[in-house]
Amino acid sequence: MAERDGLREYRGKRDFDRTQEPRGRGASAEGGPRFVVQIHDASSLHFDFRLQVGDVLRSWSVPKGPSGDPRDKRLALPTEDHPLEYEDFEGVIPKGEYGGGTVIVWDSGTYEPLSHDRQGRPVDFAESLERGHARFRLHGSKLHGEFALTRLRGGEDDREAWLLVRAGRGAHGHGTPDPYRARSVRSGRTLAQVAADGGTD
């Protein structure tokens, strides 16, 4: 029941007779909580950053994409929760549909929650997000290491906004790649190749 409620907004925005996006059936992921970063060439090109929290993928739109460089502070705007099956979604969302455009899976893997309270005791990850600050370690094909999401007091047009940053001692890394040249970890294709294939594998 909780899973269905968590996906009500997601399902309400989509016509599943037209889009190939998963409806969401509550499939459970194995091997620890999952994350996925998708590049989405919609009305504006952006990255979608998603973390498994319970039975859904909590989601943020990151206009400039996540960066492995700790000097980069990336704006992250929350979007509706997505089903766990969305981790594998790659294809073309039809024009006229919510989020119409091409999607590739740029990176995916597992993550470790690292949030603690002031006494150093572990804090439930969902609770740390509710409090507005969560730390985690990514184990992806491209993104590795410690990151943090921090809620800002204000945002664009009074929308809730967060910052996504590379964190941790001795953190170093690269910036975000050119999204038009980036390749999917799922299929090895670029956005243009997925679009040319009509979204089919």
Side-chain angles (χ1 to χ4, degrees), residues 48-83:
D48 288 310
F49 184 77
R50 311 188 198 282
L51 295 170
Q52 179 187 355
V53 181
D55 291 333
V56 297
L57 292 171
R58 291 283 299 270
S59 300
W60 292 262
S61 171
V62 183
K64 292 185 177 179
S67 173
D69 187 335
R71 296 169 298 184
D72 294 334
K73 293 178 173 60
R74 301 300 201 197
L75 179 67
L77 302 170
T79 63
E80 74 277 8
D81 293 343
H82 283 54

Side-chain angles (χ1 to χ4, degrees), residues 112-183:
E112 295 173 61
L114 298 176
S115 297
H116 291 81
D117 64 17
R118 291 182 181 179
Q119 284 72 44
R121 295 176 298 226
V123 174
D124 175 75
F125 195 71
E127 185 181 332
S128 67
L129 286 171
E130 289 306 312
R131 292 181 180 182
H133 182 73
R135 291 176 77 96
F136 46 92
R137 182 174 292 114
L138 298 180
H139 302 282
S141 298
K142 298 173 182 175
L143 293 174
H144 307 276
E146 197 171 316
F147 287 77
L149 273 165
T150 304
R151 187 168 48 222
L152 303 173
R153 292 194 177 268
E156 293 179 3
D157 305 323
D158 292 330
R159 288 175 59 194
E160 183 180 313
W162 295 65
L163 285 180
L164 174 65
V165 297
R166 176 79 163 88
R169 289 189 184 147
H172 62 280
H174 53 79
T176 308
D178 177 349
Y180 290 109
R181 299 180 65 186
R183 292 190 175 271

Side-chain angles (χ1 to χ4, degrees), residues 35-40 46-49 64-68 87 89-90 103-109 138 140-144 147 174-187 189 191:
F35 84 93
V36 64
V37 180
Q38 287 154 316
I39 302 177
H40 190 176
H46 63 279
F47 290 70
D48 288 310
F49 184 77
K64 292 185 177 179
S67 173
E87 176 189 354
F89 177 70
E90 183 166 285
V103 177
I104 64 170
V105 177
W106 180 68
D107 196 16
S108 65
L138 298 180
S141 298
K142 298 173 182 175
L143 293 174
H144 307 276
F147 287 77
H174 53 79
T176 308
D178 177 349
Y180 290 109
R181 299 180 65 186
R183 292 190 175 271
S184 163
V185 293
R186 185 171 173 267
S187 67
R189 297 179 296 174
L191 284 166

